[in-house]
Amino acid sequence: MKPKRNGLAGSVYFLTMALFANIAIAARPMDPGALIIGLVLCVLIWYAHLIVQRFFSQGDKYLVSFATMLSVIGIAMIYRVNSALAIRQVLWFILGVALYCGIVIVLPDLKRFARLRYLYLILTLVFVSMAMLFGREINGAKNWVFIKGVSFQPSEFGKIFFVLYMASALRKYRDLRSLIEPTIVVAVTLGFMVLQKDLGSALIFASIALTMLYVATNRLKYVAAALGIGSVGAVASFYVFDHIKVRVRMWLDPFSDRNGYGYQIVQGLYAIASGGLLGRGLYQGSPSLIPVRESDYIFAILAEEFGVIFSMGILIIYFLMFYRSIRVALNVRSIFSSLLTVGFSTMIAMQAIVIVGGVLNVIPLTGITMPLISYGGTSMLTVFFALGIIQKTSEEAA
């Protein structure tokens, strides 16, 4: 069967060079370094497409395009704000693409990894507890670990092993008794996230667990029971932790403390509003007014300079990535591979929903990154790992 060509590849190259050419021209003085970054990215994107389309032609053709498109948009905006950070992000992008291609090329049939259930369990608990034991509190949450000048969020790696564990455990679902161990693991994981005051990661872990539980059991009553217990826990956390009270209060009325705790939310809303539908244009916005703009609030500065229409286009790309992933999950024969795909696609989709919802003040703000767009090496590696696994399962589904 002749493999279908990916018509999006050319669009990714065009978008890459258009973004960085505009940055180079709009900068004062003109910045030729932006053009070099754009060319380097085009070479990397070409290589990733070559690996997927030439050597693994039966798998999904579009995931790699969506992933590289989002990465390019993120690197371009980070470069506009801080060129030094953008160069680091390019290095993380190189590692991410290498990891993605390595998974597709090297890993054999994923079904044989289903037996490593307790290894995944141990690694999940190690990473979700690491920040509690060795972490440093930043912006109210104790979710960063620093080792000899290198910083990372252990919970990002914890998500990977959590999905692997849940897929391995839930593939053998028979009755309610088989859910006892996964339920305990989920409760312990969420407990560590709450104690670290990492509310964003807690929400992501909970969403992954609920989605995989429903897919594995097809029992809405289990999901309803879990939601009820989770709601009680959320209310209890509100009364126990002052940090959560502040987040909720700022969500309800950020303008009540617009120069204090609500400053970031207010500035983000002003930025989005000032961008309008088409944006103010490159270098015409004021990203310096927004704290943590390269990571938590990159969506706000994108909306300010590129506009709401462009920002909506980004959300559509996330939706299409999720849609393609769920298609893979429905078509693959292995229960383990199907659950893996559901877990990883939920992880990426919920991360995007939670951070965009927080920036728009639809939900309380939580300090997580926007997948592939925000600055952050740990996040980029974990997302590319997840997409590599989904790409691999798409070969099984072909």
Side-chain angles (χ1 to χ4, degrees), residues 86-293:
I87 293 171
R88 292 186 195 175
Q89 189 75 343
V90 170
L91 296 177
W92 286 117
F93 177 68
I94 293 171
L95 292 175
V97 169
L99 180 62
Y100 180 94
C101 294
I103 289 171
V104 174
I105 295 170
V106 175
L107 280 188
D109 191 341
L110 292 175
K111 291 191 289 292
R112 66 184 64 185
F113 293 97
R115 296 170 296 187
L116 303 177
R117 170 178 177 175
Y118 292 106
L119 174 62
Y120 304 142
L121 170 58
I122 292 169
L123 290 173
T124 298
L125 296 178
V126 166
F127 280 107
V128 299
S129 64
M130 188 179 293
M132 190 70 198
L133 301 173
F134 309 108
R136 184 186 301 176
E137 186 168 311
I138 297 177
N139 297 325
K142 191 178 181 181
N143 56 356
W144 284 91
V145 170
F146 293 80
I147 300 176
K148 294 184 178 179
V150 177
S151 61
F152 67 98
Q153 287 183 289
S155 62
E156 291 290 335
F157 297 116
K159 292 172 193 172
I160 295 292
F161 294 111
F162 180 76
V163 172
L164 287 165
Y165 165 75
M166 291 293 289
S168 182
L170 292 175
R171 74 189 174 96
K172 292 187 174 182
Y173 166 76
R174 294 291 181 273
D175 52 34
L176 190 59
R177 285 178 297 178
S178 59
L179 297 178
I180 294 174
E181 181 192 290
T183 300
I184 294 172
V185 173
V186 171
V188 171
T189 299
L190 294 178
F192 276 118
M193 292 300 101
V194 171
L195 290 174
Q196 294 166 27
K197 293 181 263 188
D198 191 353
L199 307 180
S201 293
L203 187 54
I204 303 301
F205 277 107
S207 300
I208 292 170
L210 288 173
T211 307
M212 295 181 74
L213 174 66
Y214 177 70
V215 170
T217 66
N218 197 28
R219 295 285 196 277
L220 275 174
K221 61 182 180 181
Y222 293 164
V223 176
L227 282 172
I229 296 170
S231 299
V232 172
V235 173
S237 299
F238 173 81
Y239 287 103
V240 171
F241 299 105
D242 291 335
H243 175 66
I244 297 178
K245 290 180 182 178
V246 171
R247 289 288 176 95
V248 173
R249 192 173 76 247
M250 289 304 100
W251 167 55
L252 294 173
D253 187 9
F255 291 90
S256 64
D257 191 14
R258 59 188 301 170
N259 294 317
Y261 288 114
Y263 180 78
Q264 186 182 37
I265 298 174
V266 169
Q267 291 302 320
L269 293 174
Y270 280 151
I272 294 169
S274 67
L277 290 177
L278 301 177
R280 300 178 64 182
L282 271 171
Y283 291 92
Q284 302 305 308
S286 303
S288 60
L289 298 176
I290 305 175
V292 204
R293 53 192 169 273

